[in-house]
Amino acid sequence: MTRIATRLLTWLALAIAFVVFVFPLYYLVVTSLKTHAELFQAVPTLFPRQPTLASYSSLLFDQGFAQLLLNSIVVGISATALALVIAFAICYPITRLPVRPRMRSFVLNWALSLRFLPPIAVVIPYFLIVRTIGLYNQIPALVIVYTIFNLPLSIWMLKGFLEQIPAEVEEAALVDGGTRFQAFRLVLLPLASTGILAAGIIVFAFDWAEFLFAFILTATPDSMTFPVGVQGLVTQFEIIWNDMAAGGVIAILIPLVLMLFARRYVIAGLTFGVIREK
Amino acid sequence: MQRMKAVAFLSAMAIALAACGGGNNGASGASGGNVTLTIAAVKGVEDTGLKALAPMYTQKTGVKIKIVEAPYADLYTKLVNTFQAHQATYDLVMMDDPWMPKFGTIDALTPLEPLGVQKDTDVAQVVWDVGTWPPPRGPVPPSEKNKQKALLGVTIVGNVEMFMWRKDITPTGPKSYDEVLSNAKAQNKSNFAGYIIRGKATNPVVADFLPILWSFGGDVFDENWNVVFDNQQSLAAVKFLVDDLKAVAQTGPDTTDAAERDQKMASGQGYESSTWPGEINTAVLGPGSTVVGKVGFEPIPQGPSGKAVGMMGNWMLGVPKDSKNQQAAADFIKWMLQKDTQTTYAQNGGIPSRTSVLKDSSLQTANPYFSVLADALQAPPNWRPRTDQWNAVETIIGTELNKALAGQQSAQDVVTNASKQIRSLMKQAGYPTSQ
Amino acid sequence: MTAGAPGGAIGTAPAVPPSRGPFAVPARIRSGWYQRSRQERLALRLLLPVFGLVFVAATIPFVLAVVQALTSDDGRFIGADNFGRALSNDQLFEAIRQTAIYGSVVLPTEILLGLGLALLVHRTVKSRVLRAVIYVAAMIPIVIPQVAVGVVFRLLYIPDYGLINVLLGQTGNSQILWLSSPPLAIFAVASVDIWQWTPFVYLIMFAGLQTVPPESVEAAQLDGATSWTQFRHIELFYLRPLLLLVFFFRLADVLRVFDHVYILTGGGPGTTTQFLSLYLYRIAFRFSDLGQASALAVLVMAFMIVLYTVISRFLPADTSS
């Protein structure tokens, strides 16, 4: 009897936790579907009376957020690619070749320590650099900053993935008379590709969501990213909730879809590969 | 083979860099007479008229106009960053008049008169003065004393803060702050605020408060940059806001910005408040409003000092020194100043600065506050202290007032804490602040 | 791409990878001095140029911050003036205090809640499908851009439009002002953090629980262990390193929390939610005082370096040698 009661309570607790947790997301979606008139009612509604996609089209096309979306994608892809290439160049020697342990631990330690750096502390120096080299309000500035910021994560994830690949497979290729480059290109790279892709998705999601640097380093839609645009919908005299909510939904959708592909590696990514999942 | 690896890596990097380089096109390029003007504007009702005029100008002259909007709280930061970056990002910038000292001090803007912009008497003298740096009257920051005076900004939104009240409840509006308070006390009831305080931290609460401060005879600085924010008159003004008015105001005044204030007014949940002209047609009396025809507008009431002091909040257009299209930008300003453009502008939701347009009787029905505004500009209203430190000062006062409105400290704490911080700030900035 | 990672090892890796020992080098390569040094030369030739470049690029900001902190706007050396000004401002200490309060609300809540949920699910939910659903749901808030999170919670908490008050039947002058009263504002801001990051703790703890050998649990149950003793004596042992890790990662995040607070309260009411990073933003970009802001940045970075040095001793595997 008590067992059943306990089980019931447990399920109830889980159900409540789930509802509390999903509700904000639900409300975001609902708000994005409301009409402008419905927003100005004294009492907000839980379900849209006349659901409409108007705020999505208004946001993307009338207000030109499509350009910001494109910027976010360009910045995200370039910075991700750059971070992965550099991280690979660093991880390959420290995982596949005999590097002194002190060297190896220095590189990894240094990378992890960057994770503990508050971005607000370096945004000023980065602003000074960017304005000195004349890259203010230009996409490459964001690409460079994002690359540096996501490098530690990329290094740790790739290191984790590369370590998993037994040295023997590469050695077999070497024994068969291949060069090290061939072993790298024909054996290691294909084996590591899944991990690289997963790391890429996670890094991309971080680039995608970044707000502070984009906020400080951009000024016009030529380089502004999507999150900066969404934040900009708050005006002094009115706050356009449905447009903001639509922006929020779009901002969630892309990383969410990507993450579903890489779901096995998300925790590895967030904990720098220190924790890997079953 | 390591060489091959290095080559592969370098080429990958080159491709990546090239890829991101490709996504970047210059912001404002004047190529072959095909000029595009990039305008930084504040997002909201203040740039409605500008957005309406832009396509007309393009049609008339072929000059393309790109308007980049930012919310009020972010625009200042964005402009300062842009000016410090010294790149041709914007050709025209919309700026709130209290920002002029900062932009003037860092020499961010180009003088407009050499580019052909001419002052005339149909626009109130105070409007030209507020766009001139260093300021033609009042205290001048020490670093600016030897600079040549120049017209750096021209008003395109002739805002002066005004007062609104529900004229269906009391036919005449409060003429003094005593009446403001007694009316509020009489009208205040559950779900109906006697007075709506715009109390959000930094700029909003300071905008609501400065007219009260001045009308009470208080001020932030005296003529020599001494801080007088803790004298008796200033303290009385702070008390009036955070004690007397708060007692008859809406709950949670500290999170109320203009959007919330206007929503309350429009849905019939408040009796009176200060207001900017820009809020009136779109928010207070905008679509969905239940109080159309029931709201009266008048100049800021008198304080115990016997003075009634309105506050300017003009939005100006200026041309950054880094712009590559300065002449084209100045030409646009000249066009915006023409009388017929100003009339069209007013018909499209803009707030003109020309007296003759503000007094134009054909515009009065749609804009019942225009003639009050014209008088307010001639009065003349006060401007916020002309110091490049104003943004910091405003942040300090705004935060301290906001704390008091949230019930975290007393009026005395506000003046003591704010004055202490402002003194240390001004001293560091090289002002002869004593006391 | 999720099924059977090549190399076969990723899917079944232990939660904490075993330390690879002082020489993480395959045995074949290690044999023979000549070959080893040649390989090592290759490694260094590959590693040093790239790492050097990156190291410099990531270090320049530190150097610049220090230089900026020690000089005036016109480039004169002014020594510790900026540091003096930064440290003599009471608001700095208020910001530190508020950050500490925020952290002491957020960290224990997230960790206890996440751990509790992980145990609940681990013990009650056996359906694979349900577990997968929970897994994906728990991932959503982690990948959401902060800006979107700020938007959602504004919609819930703001006076007059806010849904929470409407659901509670609170309107008009008597409504609860979530973002106005200081303790509630901290709570409102903290609730966002808790909503967003409890699932992260949950995911890690849940992953950790899967590494507990079923035999030891079964043995304990045969001995008549209660759920509590089972947790305390067996599961906690496996979770301890993960708990430490989660704690430190979340601690670092608390010190850099910015986006959702900026959007939700902007630091208000007064300075109640003006945490360290918001304070830095205010000095740098509202006051345009880059000197003082740089001094603050240097102080924060120095603090983080100290903190990190302490932390890294406790982190599992590979980070300390």
Side-chain angles (χ1 to χ4, degrees), chain B residues 2 74 191 251 402 408 428, chain C residues 45 85 172-173 180 262 270 272:
Chain B
Q2 58 266 47
D74 299 341
N191 291 328
T251 29
N402 181 260
Q408 288 172 284
Q428 277 157 26
Chain C
R45 227 173 282 162
R85 281 199 297 139
N173 287 5
S180 293
Y262 181 79
T272 308

Side-chain angles (χ1 to χ4, degrees), chain B residues 366-377:
Chain B
N367 306 283
Y369 58 90
F370 267 13
S371 84
V372 178
L373 182 62
D375 297 339
L377 278 170

Side-chain angles (χ1 to χ4, degrees), chain B residues 2 5 9 13 73-74 76-77 80-81 102 189-192 251-252 254-255 259 263-264 391-392 395-396 399-400 402-403 406 408 420-421 425 428, chain C residues 42 45-46 50 53 85 90-91 94 158-161 171-175 177 179-180 182 262 268-272 281-282 285-290:
Chain B
Q2 58 266 47
K5 172 79 172 56
F9 165 69
M13 209 164 139
D74 299 341
Y76 174 78
T77 306
V80 173
N81 287 353
K102 175 74 181 177
K189 45 188 171 283
S190 177
N191 291 328
F192 189 84
T251 29
D254 62 295
T255 47
Q263 201 265 350
K264 275 203 177 308
N391 217 266
T395 305
I396 292 170
T399 307
E400 295 300 330
N402 181 260
K403 268 189 200 172
Q408 288 172 284
K420 186 178 151 224
Q421 291 172 57
L425 174 86
Q428 277 157 26
Chain C
L42 168 63
R45 227 173 282 162
L46 288 177
V50 181
L53 188 76
R85 281 199 297 139
D90 298 339
Q91 294 210 1
E94 201 189 335
I158 204 112
D160 297 323
Y161 314 116
T171 48
N173 287 5
S174 61
Q175 60 184 315
L177 298 160
L179 303 176
S180 293
Y262 181 79
T271 46
T272 308
Y281 175 83
R282 168 177 160 141
F285 295 105
R286 301 296 303 169
F287 283 38
S288 304
D289 190 345
L290 289 187

